[in-house]
Amino acid sequence: MSTQEQMERIAKAFAEVREACARAEAAMRACGSFAVLVPVANETNEQRQSFRRNAVAIERKKRCLTQKRLGIALGFKRDDAQPRVSQIESGDRAISDSLFKACAKVFGETPESLEAIGREHASQRERKILEVLRFAHGNPVSIAALSDRLGLSTSEGWAEIEPLINDSRVLKVPGGFVIATEELA
């Protein structure tokens, strides 16, 4: 089975589990119980904040809302609305659970489905990074070249590849980055 097929199978299984959790949680809410979803194993708070930040930005843009309009809808004062949402999307301000729930309500989503949107976006970026490195056939790819291929600034490119380095899926070598395992290269 090719790596692409393995990745597709894993993504499909993950989506099925996520849907099952959402159905179970809806059933629990219907009967008056409340479920708290546990973060994915080995997921840091920093990663979870990143998923939430991405989800808020994606959904805000999808709904053609300005940062100021979203901030006002979340209850911030008119003068503080745009800077607060900007800080959230840039990662300068953490998203509390209550604020994230308020964002989900504004978007007409559940907090879990909104966070799943951010996770999916992150996994798509991850796949793109691995694809760029795979096509290099073991040759190092610089952060500038990688960022350029992904349509990101260099700092955004570094932020995207850093979790893959920490997970040991990508190695930093002289001249750039390569995929860590032979089966993916």
Side-chain angles (χ1 to χ4, degrees), residues 111-175:
E112 295 77 21
S113 65
L114 186 58
E115 194 169 311
I117 290 167
R119 258 192 194 88
E120 179 61 28
H121 176 74
S123 68
Q124 288 173 356
R125 279 268 173 93
E126 193 175 284
R127 283 193 296 269
K128 287 180 184 177
I129 290 170
L130 293 174
E131 183 178 305
V132 168
L133 295 176
R134 196 175 300 115
F135 284 130
H137 300 292
N139 295 320
V141 177
S142 71
I143 191 66
L146 182 65
S147 299
D148 188 49
R149 289 282 308 270
L150 298 171
L152 303 171
S153 69
T154 305
S155 59
E156 289 171 328
W158 175 252
E160 294 293 334
I161 200 166
E162 190 174 29
L164 298 175
I165 294 168
N166 294 339
D167 289 348
S168 300
R169 290 186 278 168
V170 171
L171 296 175
K172 187 173 186 336
V173 297

Side-chain angles (χ1 to χ4, degrees), residues 7-117:
M7 290 176 66
E8 288 172 0
R9 188 171 49 93
I10 291 168
K12 183 180 177 184
F14 182 74
E16 289 170 356
V17 169
R18 189 173 47 217
E19 289 172 15
C21 286
R23 285 193 305 271
E25 188 169 338
M28 292 176 85
R29 281 197 178 125
C31 69
S33 298
F34 293 95
V36 176
L37 292 181
V38 178
V40 175
N42 301 327
E43 179 182 276
T44 66
N45 187 47
E46 206 171 282
Q47 288 171 316
R48 194 163 192 221
Q49 285 290 319
S50 174
F51 298 148
R52 289 179 169 195
R53 184 173 55 246
N54 285 336
V56 169
I58 290 164
E59 287 301 303
R60 178 185 65 77
K61 291 172 185 173
K62 186 190 301 182
R63 288 169 167 72
C64 299
L65 287 173
T66 62
Q67 289 178 334
K68 185 170 190 164
R69 281 191 180 178
L70 176 58
I72 291 169
L74 293 172
F76 294 120
K77 293 179 183 175
R78 186 173 287 282
D79 292 339
D80 296 336
Q82 188 276 328
R84 289 284 179 99
V85 174
S86 176
Q87 290 169 342
I88 289 167
E89 290 181 0
S90 68
D92 292 338
R93 178 181 293 268
I95 304 174
S96 66
D97 288 340
S98 59
L99 181 59
F100 191 68
K101 287 177 184 175
C103 288
K105 188 174 182 180
V106 167
F107 297 138
E109 299 277 348
T110 65
E112 295 77 21
S113 65
L114 186 58
E115 194 169 311
I117 290 167

